[in-house]
Amino acid sequence: MYAPDRDQDLRWMQRAIDLAALCPPAEGAYSVGAVIVGEDGSELASGYSREADPHEHAEEAALAKLPAGDPRLAGATIYSTLEPCSQRHSPRTPCAQRILAAGIPRVAIAWREPSLFVDDCVGYEQLVEAGVVVVELHELAKSAKSVNAHLGDLA
């Protein structure tokens, strides 16, 4: 499994935040960026919310760029600016389930999903319960939230 140091984690999360800034702002939806980094420290794929369609989430966009069952995912880390969702309003698979199905063993997030659209997001808990290592990069939470200024005060 890719075990980066804190500086590498922060660098990759900053890349995800930069991707989140590319999201077309949408009322009722977060702007999120995601980067999948292989065990060798190279970027495997990236994505952001609403990249290809109005209901697409960042993790979904990044995972869609890799073949199903890609063996590199077994040692990868996915960096997401927001906690992976545990439920969706659209009839799509939640991102926490997608990450588990892909076999990614490590997830890094900048902040947890507030109760703005979903009363109780449990993506973090689902991942941890399944044995995934989840790292929170609190020092970049403010930057990740700032990309979502269109939703009002998320402090």
Side-chain angles (χ1 to χ4, degrees):
M1 175 174 68
Y2 177 58
D5 64 28
R6 193 77 171 175
D7 287 343
Q8 290 169 315
D9 273 344
L10 294 172
R11 184 172 52 86
W12 285 115
M13 186 60 73
Q14 186 58 58
R15 164 109 171 92
I17 291 167
D18 293 344
L19 288 165
L22 299 175
C23 296
E27 188 175 317
Y30 294 104
S31 292
V32 178
V35 181
I36 302 171
V37 178
E39 197 165 11
D40 64 356
S42 66
E43 182 174 321
L44 301 179
S46 63
Y48 55 89
S49 303
R50 299 173 294 287
E51 183 176 353
D53 78 60
H55 300 288
E56 187 174 47
H57 286 193
E59 302 92 333
E60 178 181 13
L63 285 165
K65 294 172 183 165
L66 296 171
D70 189 322
R72 298 175 297 172
L73 294 174
T77 295
I78 185 166
Y79 293 85
S80 179
T81 59
L82 181 67
E83 172 184 13
C85 67
S86 59
Q87 60 188 62
R88 304 272 299 256
H89 290 296
S90 64
R92 293 174 122 150
T93 303
C95 294
Q97 289 178 24
R98 289 176 186 274
I99 291 166
L100 292 173
I104 296 173
R106 187 172 185 273
V107 176
I109 63 172
W111 60 304
R112 295 212 196 174
E113 184 172 338
S115 299
L116 187 61
F117 305 122
V118 175
D119 285 336
D120 187 25
C121 180
V122 292
Y124 177 97
E125 290 81 1
Q126 287 176 348
L127 293 167
V128 169
E129 285 172 16
V132 172
V133 174
V134 181
V135 177
E136 291 185 69
L137 302 171
H138 301 286
E139 54 268 63
L140 290 178
K142 186 175 180 181
S143 295
K145 289 176 186 178
S146 71
V147 178
N148 288 280
H150 66 283
L151 298 175
D153 184 20
L154 296 171

